Each structure stands twice: as structure tokens, then as C-alpha cells.
Amino acid sequence: MSLVPSFFGRRSNVFDPFSLDIWDPFQGFPFNSSALTSSNLGNETSAFANARIDWKETPEAHLFKADLPGLKKEEVKVELEEGRVLQISGERSREKEEKNDKWHRVERSSGKFLRRFRLPENAKVDEVKAAMENGVLTVTVPKEQVKTPDVKAIDISG
């Protein structure tokens, strides 16, 4: 493991060369919750900041699925950076607190999230599609068809 963090990101899975997360310089640091704003915002945000995304490759496409319950499609952004980096980001706003409200437990996460994935060379980046249904974001990245070389048999004379 490197002692010097990469400023370009870190891999969420060392076995997946295409997975790339944004480097957080404060990850793992214990924060005093009183130093943050009114509530325990640090713990609340951290759960959502690392939105979990599945990446499945089929013969036709790369499929990314993210569970984003409670978010509308207007609150989620899907972008391509530098032509080959798929970026999925968004934000879940905190519920407004009324003066007379008394909270007993806050377990749902809020805050921003951002995930990046370096797409392989066979991705058709001009044909990326995204859809959101029932709180599940699905991003489809079609793949180039692998051309099989034409093989022509040549008679050997002799």
C-alpha cells in the first residue's frame, strides 16, 4: 500500500482497474462532531458519500446500477469526463427541522456523493443512456462489437 495518496483518485477495488473513487484527504480522521454544524453531520454524510454502485458487463454493454432511494432524477447527474470517465453524482438534502420537532433517531444519510469509473476502450461513449426508476439509477454503456478477423484458407501447392 502506498503511503502517498494519489491525487487522481483511489481504487475502491484493487482487482478492478476501471474503478476510480475520488480521494478524500480527511477519510479516516476522527472529527469532533461539535466542530461540525448543528448535528452529527459528519456521520450522516459519510454513509451517503460512498454510494454503492454495481458494475456488470454483458456481451452487449456495461451496466451500472445505483440504489438512490428518495432521490429524483433531477437530483442526480451522470456525466462523461475526459471522454472515458463516467461520473455519477448527486445530493440528498437534509429534512428541514422545525423548531418544535424532537428527533429520536437520524439514520437516513444525507449529503453529496460522487463516484467515477474509468470506462474500457470498448465502450461506445457516444451512446451512453441513463434511466431512473423506483430509486434505482441504471446507466447503460454499449460496447463495440469485437470484429472477428476473416480467415481465408490458402491451398498449399507442392
Side-chain angles (χ1 to χ4, degrees):
M1 184 172 157
S2 173
L3 296 175
V4 179
S6 166
F7 289 100
F8 301 109
R10 66 174 173 73
R11 304 212 185 281
S12 59
N13 181 346
V14 294
F15 301 108
D16 183 0
F18 302 114
S19 154
L20 185 66
D21 290 340
I22 301 301
W23 175 62
D24 179 6
F26 302 108
Q27 183 176 8
F29 280 74
F31 285 107
N32 182 355
S33 63
S34 64
L36 298 171
T37 56
S38 63
S39 69
N40 199 0
L41 183 61
N43 291 340
E44 246 178 350
T45 307
S46 64
F48 197 60
N50 295 321
R52 302 292 183 211
I53 298 177
D54 294 339
W55 179 357
K56 174 174 76 171
E57 183 175 357
T58 67
E60 298 82 27
H62 295 275
L63 299 172
F64 296 85
K65 287 196 174 197
D67 289 336
L68 305 172
L71 287 181
K72 300 176 190 131
K73 66 180 183 177
E74 295 82 16
E75 298 171 315
V76 178
K77 285 177 25 178
V78 178
E79 303 169 307
L80 276 174
E81 281 188 348
E82 302 170 11
R84 290 237 170 260
V85 178
L86 176 68
Q87 178 172 297
I88 301 172
S89 62
E91 181 174 7
R92 176 178 290 141
S93 302
R94 290 177 41 139
E95 202 170 306
K96 294 188 179 186
E97 294 183 30
E98 300 294 328
K99 188 174 184 176
N100 297 327
D101 289 348
K102 179 180 178 185
W103 290 86
H104 293 277
R105 183 175 296 272
V106 177
E107 293 183 349
R108 295 185 308 142
S109 57
S110 64
K112 296 180 181 183
F113 69 93
L114 173 70
R115 295 292 306 273
R116 289 182 176 164
F117 300 91
R118 186 170 310 283
L119 297 174
E121 292 296 320
N122 67 350
K124 290 184 179 179
V125 294
D126 296 336
E127 299 178 23
V128 176
K129 291 188 171 104
M132 186 120 163
E133 186 176 335
N134 296 328
V136 178
L137 172 70
T138 303
V139 179
T140 305
V141 183
K143 291 170 39 178
E144 299 280 348
Q145 296 299 324
V146 178
K147 292 184 179 180
T148 54
D150 292 334
V151 178
K152 181 180 175 185
I154 308 221
D155 291 333
I156 302 173
S157 60

